[in-house]
Amino acid sequence: MSSLELFYADSEAPIVLLSAKKHFEQLSSSNLQKYAHFLSRASYNGSKAILDSVSKESPDIFKLILLIHKQLDEPKTNQEYLSKIKSIDEENIIYYLEYACQFLDNMGNYKSFGDRKFIPKIKKQDLKTFINSLENEEISELYSKVEDSIYDTSKGLLGFPENGLSTNYYPDSENITKEEVNAVDKVLASNEIMPENTRIIKNKDGSFTVLVSSADSKNLYEHLNLITPDGHKINFKFGDHSQEFSKIVENLTHALIYVSNPTQKNLIELYIESFKTGSMKAHKLSQIEWVKDFKPEVESNIGFIETYRDPAGVRGEWEGLVAMVNHERTKKFTDLVNQASKFITQLPWDPIYEKDKFTPPDFTSLEVLTFSGSGVPAGINIPNYDDVRLNYGFKNVSLGNVLSANPKNPKKEEIITFIENKDQQKFKKFRDDCFEVQVSYHELLGHGTCKLNTEVAVGEYNFDKNDERIKSWYKPNETWSSVFGEYAGSYEECRAELVALYLILKDPVNGLPILGITDEQDQKDIMYIATLMMIRAGLIGLEFWDPEAKKWGQPHMQGRFAIMKQLHKAGVFKFETSKSDFSDLTIVIDESKLYDNTAVEALGEFLSTIHIYKSTANKVEGLKYYLDKSNVEEDYGKFRDIVLKEKKPRKKLIQANTFIRGDGDDSTVELVEYDESEAGMIQSFFERDIQF
């Protein structure tokens, strides 16, 4: 594979309609449908904040794709595109559509899963020929502005500029260093300023400007005189994305009319305060109300949530989830929650490293109507504020229609790479069940566990200070993310994945029946396929390892690779291959190791070690241990070329839109779904009318 091919947008990717129509139409009232509609609009209004955090050119590429679609009179299918474009051949039209679809699915020109840049497979000159044929001055000017950056692969991964990588969390600041970012972040933390909704600019005079996303431009911190340790001033500029955040506030104000209870009213009002003023403290308060809003018919969570894509690991990416409860699936998860404490006692660490009391969360299965973000997860465990989780609890969310999303008309027969022929049908039969079990344990008992031993105030501790086993702890105002920094996300995802597989293998008889798997042979098959899925995920995770930068581009895959390596070194499986190019590489599991405690002990050793390091804020030893576990030695790195050659494109998910039809009390909400094609993806975004 050439170096350029590594960057091409996916070809023949599965495109799936994320259907939510049935559950939306089953909502008990039109008010609930309107509530969902306005929350969805508010979620999508934050789209520019996503684009702006990815790359400088992403907002303009977004506009370019939609302007081209409009110029062509809104083609609804790929065939309509093919019939309307005469300036380039059919193959190049498809290449353009594949790029546009992948861009919209990732909300930017870097993959949300892997952080690697992608470029169109259509050559630059051919794309320019197509652009010129449209004879639209606005489109031509916009394309000229972004043409070079669309095709530039010199900064192929997201990360700190000093490492030759790219990020727009620090716009127009090519010379900003990791050390400077960390210095600014420490000053913010010491003044109890939360960074999730910020970006940082390094000015020519060496000072820094912290951009804060908000509708209003009033500076909440004008009374502060903040200076970095080396004497550089920190300024604030509120109103980043002000136009879009004003629309967010407007739509949330409409949603407020249709809330179902006082808790939802408090939740939406705090959202409005946060997005209007830029106050992250208001957002944290909103999450307390969100946790208290128990099993609503329409669930939502909106804001700067996950911090994976900020190189420093502290700034959030905009997300907006709106979904309906699947009551049948939720019953299974409720049963799991009710027995969670029993499973926690089986985890391989002393109670001093676990929360004093497990607060049962709201665990629901949702059918996604809207997920505005750079990618749609299969499960969520939020809020991410550690003190809210500890004092008020959290929610686990399994996204049912994401878990089961498959194309109606697959483009080609699916062959699962790197597994034995005898495992092909079993893998396909049980993978959805395995995924659901894995996600359930991962979110509830993975992210839902771990006590952060903390000095909550000067001289006040949430643990026994005389216990000699606890030699380090979190200081006042320190959080898990602030201490473990850029590796916090990957480290925590690995810990949660370990918890899930550990429990699947350690106690299938008690755990799996709760999730509907009662047959003894099915339970053994789940144990086998869940292990195979994890090992295979670790192997194909090599796609996301950059051997030149020595950097992982995807936190989940770094964790899964480390787990794979642990199981390999324990003798749970071996790689079989007879060809020099490893084209027949196959994973062969010694199934007896799943039943004689070999796998459980290997997973338990890894899990307990990283868990204790997290619990005690032991960053130095914790990261040394984890980075060694996830280091790609030559014994594994040699497989990367065949992994890249055999890689399969990820599914692209098309989401529905809702529209208010009619006026006043007689108005109704219509849900519109789209063709499962690249054109259908573009049309879905076009009809959202996202403008900035």
Side-chain angles (χ1 to χ4, degrees):
M1 178 179 291
S2 73
S3 58
L4 196 60
E5 286 179 305
L6 187 63
F7 292 97
Y8 284 149
D10 295 336
S11 286
E12 299 186 321
I15 298 177
V16 187
L17 175 66
L18 195 62
S19 183
K21 194 164 191 174
K22 173 185 171 183
H23 287 84
F24 183 78
E25 292 178 347
Q26 286 177 350
L27 287 173
S28 59
S29 72
S30 62
N31 280 356
L32 283 169
Q33 292 184 345
K34 291 172 184 175
Y35 182 63
H37 166 78
F38 286 113
L39 288 174
S40 294
R41 298 305 308 157
S43 298
Y44 285 125
N45 287 143
S47 297
K48 188 169 188 289
I50 306 167
L51 295 161
D52 267 340
S53 68
V54 174
S55 67
K56 186 175 182 178
E57 64 270 14
S58 282
D60 286 331
I61 299 173
F62 180 87
K63 287 192 285 187
L64 179 67
I65 291 168
L66 297 191
L67 280 172
I68 291 171
H69 190 73
K70 181 180 180 181
Q71 179 71 11
L72 294 171
D73 296 323
E74 304 175 38
K76 306 296 190 296
T77 66
N78 285 7
Q79 191 57 47
E80 287 186 36
Y81 260 97
L82 293 171
S83 67
K84 291 183 177 185
I85 300 172
K86 305 300 182 184
S87 56
I88 53 176
D89 62 27
E90 181 173 316
E91 182 180 57
N92 277 316
I93 297 170
I94 295 298
Y95 287 160
Y96 164 73
L97 288 173
E98 288 173 338
Y99 174 78
C101 178
Q102 185 160 340
F103 181 95
L104 296 173
D105 184 61
N106 289 272
M107 285 306 289
N109 58 345
Y110 285 76
K111 294 179 180 179
S112 64
F113 200 87
D115 287 345
R116 180 175 292 281
K117 189 171 184 180
F118 57 92
I119 64 174
K121 204 169 183 178
I122 178 175
K123 290 182 171 57
K124 185 187 287 190
Q125 185 55 51
D126 291 325
L127 181 54
K128 191 166 188 176
T129 297
F130 166 49
I131 295 294
N132 290 340
S133 73
L134 297 173
E135 298 182 346
N136 181 296
E137 186 175 346
E138 184 180 7
I139 290 175
S140 295
E141 288 180 359
L142 197 54
Y143 178 71
S144 296
K145 182 179 176 183
V146 298
E147 179 182 37
D148 290 340
S149 55
I150 285 176
Y151 283 93
D152 181 19
T153 60
S154 62
K155 294 183 178 179
L157 284 173
L158 296 179
F160 280 111
E162 66 183 289
N163 296 328
L165 306 176
S166 178
T167 180
N168 211 42
Y169 277 102
Y170 312 104
D172 301 317
S173 304
E174 285 294 304
N175 63 338
I176 197 169
T177 66
K178 177 180 176 181
E179 184 179 357
E180 289 170 330
V181 170
N182 289 340
V184 172
D185 289 344
K186 285 181 180 178
V187 174
L188 297 183
S190 66
N191 286 272
E192 299 186 359
I193 297 172
M194 299 165 65
E196 285 86 347
N197 65 342
T198 67
R199 298 188 294 160
I200 299 176
I201 294 175
K202 181 181 179 182
N203 302 309
K204 291 181 180 179
D205 62 2
S207 66
F208 300 93
T209 299
V210 177
L211 304 177
V212 182
S213 295
S214 61
D216 293 348
S217 59
K218 181 181 178 182
N219 183 356
L220 298 181
Y221 309 126
E222 60 186 353
H223 59 288
L224 298 177
N225 182 27
L226 303 186
I227 298 176
T228 64
D230 58 357
H232 293 294
K233 186 171 177 56
I234 300 173
N235 305 296
F236 291 89
K237 183 177 181 181
F238 282 69
D240 198 17
H241 311 117
S242 62
Q243 179 180 340
E244 297 75 38
F245 272 59
S246 294
K247 293 178 181 177
I248 293 169
V249 170
E250 178 184 337
N251 278 291
L252 288 173
T253 302
H254 288 307
L256 195 58
I257 299 170
Y258 302 108
V259 296
S260 298
N261 55 57
T263 302
Q264 281 185 2
K265 180 175 183 292
N266 294 338
L267 166 65
I268 302 302
E269 287 177 342
L270 286 164
Y271 277 159
I272 290 170
E273 180 185 350
S274 176
F275 305 140
K276 182 177 173 60
T277 68
S279 168
M280 283 304 298
K281 290 182 179 179
H283 191 266
K284 180 185 281 192
L285 291 174
S286 79
Q287 299 303 278
I288 295 172
E289 298 299 319
W290 182 72
V291 170
K292 288 157 58 178
D293 189 22
F294 195 71
K295 285 188 171 56
E297 285 195 62
V298 174
E299 183 66 278
S300 72
N301 199 278
I302 304 174
F304 292 89
I305 309 298
E306 302 293 352
T307 59
Y308 300 136
R309 304 191 88 185
D310 170 26
V314 299
R315 281 164 188 82
E317 185 173 61
W318 176 264
E319 288 181 4
L321 164 69
V322 184
M324 293 74 65
V325 173
N326 181 322
H327 294 285
E328 183 179 347
R329 272 183 168 176
T330 295
K331 185 183 182 304
K332 291 192 302 184
F333 297 138
T334 301
D335 292 341
L336 181 62
V337 169
N338 291 338
Q339 298 190 49
S341 296
K342 178 178 71 176
F343 293 110
I344 290 173
T345 62
Q346 298 187 50
L347 293 170
W349 52 76
D350 190 281
I352 64 169
Y353 306 113
E354 192 47 68
K355 297 171 183 175
D356 300 328
K357 181 181 178 182
F358 179 74
T359 305
D362 185 2
F363 199 162
T364 53
S365 177
L366 301 178
E367 304 295 312
V368 174
L369 171 65
T370 295
F371 197 100
S372 175
S374 60
V376 186
I380 308 171
N381 179 288
I382 43 180
N384 290 331
Y385 303 120
D386 296 325
D387 51 346
V388 175
R389 297 168 67 87
L390 180 63
N391 297 317
Y392 298 94
F394 54 93
K395 288 185 184 182
N396 283 282
V397 171
S398 174
L399 305 181
N401 56 344
V402 177
L403 285 165
S404 60
N406 287 299
K408 296 184 184 73
N409 299 300
K411 296 181 179 179
K412 55 174 63 176
E413 181 186 356
E414 182 184 26
I415 302 296
I416 311 300
T417 54
F418 306 119
I419 71 172
E420 296 181 272
N421 287 334
K422 72 178 182 64
D423 291 333
Q424 288 284 335
Q425 291 308 311
K426 186 186 292 187
F427 190 99
K428 293 174 184 177
K429 177 181 178 181
F430 286 100
R431 64 179 165 186
D432 286 351
D433 287 335
C434 284
F435 197 20
E436 183 173 79
V437 173
Q438 179 80 16
V439 168
S440 302
Y441 282 155
H442 174 113
E443 301 296 346
L444 174 64
L445 301 167
H447 294 316
T449 56
C450 191
K451 177 180 181 178
L452 301 185
N453 289 286
T454 304
E455 183 180 4
V456 294
V458 177
E460 181 183 342
Y461 304 86
N462 69 351
F463 62 95
D464 182 358
K465 184 71 164 51
N466 296 317
D467 193 324
E468 295 182 355
R469 291 171 294 180
I470 301 179
K471 296 181 173 63
S472 58
W473 52 86
Y474 294 86
K475 306 300 188 294
N477 297 320
E478 286 186 340
T479 66
W480 153 247
S481 295
S482 70
V483 171
F484 279 73
E486 63 183 298
Y487 296 107
S490 176
Y491 189 108
E492 173 61 6
E493 292 303 333
C494 181
R495 193 185 69 84
E497 291 282 67
L498 281 164
V499 167
L501 189 55
Y502 179 86
L503 288 174
I504 288 171
L505 297 181
K506 185 173 178 62
D507 191 14
V509 175
N510 290 309
L512 297 181
I514 297 173
L515 295 168
I517 301 156
T518 55
D519 181 80
E520 183 178 351
Q521 184 56 51
D522 285 352
Q523 291 173 1
K524 286 188 174 182
D525 288 338
I526 290 289
M527 293 170 68
Y528 181 81
I529 296 302
T531 306
L532 180 57
M533 286 177 67
M534 182 64 72
I535 293 167
R536 181 175 177 273
L539 174 63
I540 64 176
L542 287 169
E543 174 192 344
F544 304 98
W545 165 255
D546 188 304
E548 293 184 9
K550 301 293 182 185
K551 180 182 184 297
W552 280 97
Q554 214 295 320
H556 296 78
M557 289 314 224
Q558 181 177 4
R560 290 165 186 161
F561 173 82
I563 297 169
M564 178 209 75
K565 197 166 82 167
Q566 180 80 352
L567 291 173
H568 186 240
K569 290 183 179 298
V572 174
F573 76 97
K574 60 183 178 180
F575 292 115
E576 287 193 352
T577 180
S578 61
K579 298 184 178 180
S580 59
D581 64 355
F582 309 119
S583 56
D584 61 346
L585 182 66
T586 307
I587 297 162
V588 180
I589 293 178
D590 181 348
E591 200 164 351
S592 68
K593 304 294 187 185
L594 306 184
Y595 311 127
D596 68 2
N597 277 338
T598 300
V600 169
E601 288 175 2
L603 295 168
E605 176 194 355
F606 190 179
L607 172 57
S608 62
T609 303
I610 65 171
H611 179 93
I612 292 169
Y613 285 144
K614 176 184 176 181
S615 177
T616 56
N618 191 340
K619 173 184 178 179
V620 174
E621 292 184 84
L623 290 185
K624 182 176 183 298
Y625 180 85
Y626 177 61
L627 294 177
D628 178 66
K629 289 288 185 183
S630 58
N631 182 46
V632 182
E633 298 94 345
E634 176 55 28
D635 283 350
Y636 302 102
K638 65 185 180 183
F639 298 139
R640 186 170 184 268
D641 285 346
I642 192 62
V643 166
L644 291 174
K645 184 177 180 180
E646 295 293 335
K647 73 173 183 172
K648 307 298 181 187
R650 289 173 63 80
K651 287 184 289 193
K652 311 291 189 288
L653 299 177
I654 301 177
Q655 299 175 41
N657 282 320
T658 54
F659 301 92
I660 299 285
R661 305 302 192 197
D663 298 314
D665 294 338
D666 296 328
S667 63
T668 59
V669 183
E670 179 188 4
L671 185 144
V672 176
E673 297 183 334
Y674 300 90
D675 185 60
E676 282 190 341
S677 65
E678 287 82 1
M681 174 74 81
I682 299 170
Q683 182 68 10
S684 73
F685 273 88
F686 184 83
E687 292 194 357
R688 282 177 198 130
D689 194 30
I690 300 168
Q691 297 181 3
F692 41 78

